[in-house]
Amino acid sequence: MSQVLDGKAHADRMLEEVRQGVEARLAQGKRAPALAVVLVGDDPASHVYVRNKTAACAKVGIRSLEHRLAADTPQAALDALIDQLNADPGVDGILVQLPLPQGLDAKRALHRISPAKDVDGFHPVNQGLLLEGLPGLRPCTPTACMSLLAHHGVALKGLRAVVLGRSEIVGKPMALMLLEQHATVTIAHSRTKDLPAVCREADLLVAAVGRPGLVEGSWIKPGAVVVDVGINRVEDEALGAAIFAAEPKKLETLRAKGGVLCGDVRFGEAMAVASAVTPVPGGVGPLTIAGLLANTLAASNQDA
Ligand code: GUN
């Protein structure tokens, strides 16, 4: 039986460090870090994320400034708000919650954020710094995953790592961070030939594709470490019966509640093969917000 890598516990450790960093700023007579969150439209999941971010900010002493815009906001108005936040010396970090409503260009908005305030780490300047291995604001989820792996003493040097997924938010930056730590990295994706065989080569498998239960136990090398970034809601009972064959309680929950959260990895099957696995929920999810707040603190200390 493998170890469950507790993301919530590690997020709490990261948040405690941020809280101490905020206290240290205040002790030096500086103001609390401030994070501006821009929420456009009515996406219910985005509202939940933003609420969670605001609550986490409050816990560590970061000010959160919420800006809500209507779904039909023109791009020029969003541009103007970003310009205003860029120019505001009382704002350290700017986060434009994704996805944006149809008709708004997310890339244009993200590129407009000042790289010094880009706490998501999505601006091309910050992506370029990461590519070069230089300090900058880095994407929250992969940064926090690296922190979790370091905490659990996973030795990355020379390790064969497979990153499943090539998104700008997780897959690509995760691959670069692993490479920086001297892992041998393969990025696999939906067009990769014989995906199971590629995954089976991995000493470290990071799954970030948003496909519930894609990774079966037979895809995992015995003793591998598995990081599951996917957060998917499964409602279909037939799909649930297939992916929760080794997790009868999950299937029961699905039947009782009409849906259940699950990762990209079949957790029950992975637990029988891997040496360590992150669960969903309670794995990578809580780490992302901790990474965001660590970035906000870092952004506020850039002038120090
Ligand atoms: N929506 C889902 N994940 C993210 C994220 O990491 N950053 C932003 N800005 N929006 C998101």
Side-chain angles (χ1 to χ4, degrees):
M1 198 69 165
S2 72
Q3 183 190 4
V4 178
L5 299 176
D6 186 341
K8 173 75 175 65
H10 191 62
D12 287 344
R13 280 189 286 272
M14 289 176 70
L15 289 174
E16 176 55 22
E17 257 183 49
V18 174
R19 197 190 60 74
Q20 288 175 15
V22 173
E23 261 185 13
R25 271 183 67 85
L26 298 177
Q28 292 164 21
K30 296 178 179 165
R31 60 168 176 73
L35 171 67
V37 178
V38 179
L39 180 55
V40 191
D42 317 306
D43 181 61
S46 290
H47 278 261
V48 174
Y49 289 138
V50 168
R51 210 180 312 134
N52 291 341
K53 283 168 191 169
T54 308
C57 281
K59 267 201 219 162
V60 298
I62 291 178
R63 281 183 72 211
S64 64
L65 315 160
E66 227 174 280
H67 294 264
R68 291 182 181 229
L69 300 177
D72 61 357
T73 298
Q75 187 94 34
L78 179 57
D79 287 351
L81 175 59
I82 293 170
D83 291 348
Q84 178 201 319
L85 296 170
N86 281 340
D88 186 341
V91 170
D92 300 295
I94 303 169
L95 179 140
V96 175
Q97 184 66 32
L98 303 176
L100 289 175
Q102 272 207 338
L104 287 175
D105 182 344
K107 277 242 151 111
R108 177 166 146 185
L110 297 176
H111 289 199
R112 203 166 181 104
I113 296 171
S114 160
K117 298 189 178 188
D118 166 38
V119 285
D120 259 328
F122 295 164
H123 192 282
V125 165
N126 284 319
Q127 292 193 354
L129 290 169
L130 169 60
L131 190 70
E132 290 202 348
L134 293 171
L137 291 167
R138 295 180 168 195
C140 309
T141 303
T143 301
C145 288
M146 294 299 284
S147 171
L148 178 76
L149 293 171
H151 175 79
H152 286 281
V154 178
L156 298 172
K157 199 168 166 179
L159 195 98
R160 199 166 268 273
V162 172
V163 178
L164 188 45
R166 52 178 159 176
S167 70
E168 312 287 343
I169 296 180
V170 183
K172 286 185 197 173
M174 185 81 209
L176 289 170
M177 289 180 202
L178 289 167
L179 188 62
E180 188 177 41
Q181 295 302 314
H182 314 290
T184 300
V185 184
T186 301
I187 303 179
H189 46 81
S190 55
R191 315 267 173 93
T192 298
K193 282 189 182 146
D194 200 354
L195 202 47
V198 173
C199 291
R200 260 193 301 272
E201 298 234 313
D203 302 308
L204 169 65
L205 179 61
V206 180
V209 280
R211 296 260 316 268
L214 175 72
V215 177
E216 302 175 17
S218 65
W219 294 27
I220 298 169
K221 181 176 176 176
V225 173
V226 179
V227 175
D228 189 352
V229 183
I231 301 178
N232 315 289
R233 187 174 156 83
V234 176
E235 295 179 352
D236 185 88
E237 204 171 314
L239 176 64
I243 65 182
F244 300 134
E247 284 178 280
K249 282 213 169 119
K250 279 260 191 186
L251 189 55
E252 267 174 40
T253 308
L254 189 161
R255 286 183 176 138
K257 300 198 168 166
V260 70
L261 282 185
C262 94
D264 293 345
V265 177
R266 299 184 184 194
F267 180 76
E269 295 180 22
M271 284 293 285
V273 188
S275 64
V277 188
T278 62
V280 178
V284 174
L287 292 170
T288 298
I289 289 185
L292 171 71
L293 301 194
N295 274 354
T296 305
L297 175 65
S300 76
N301 284 334
Q302 277 174 131
D303 52 0

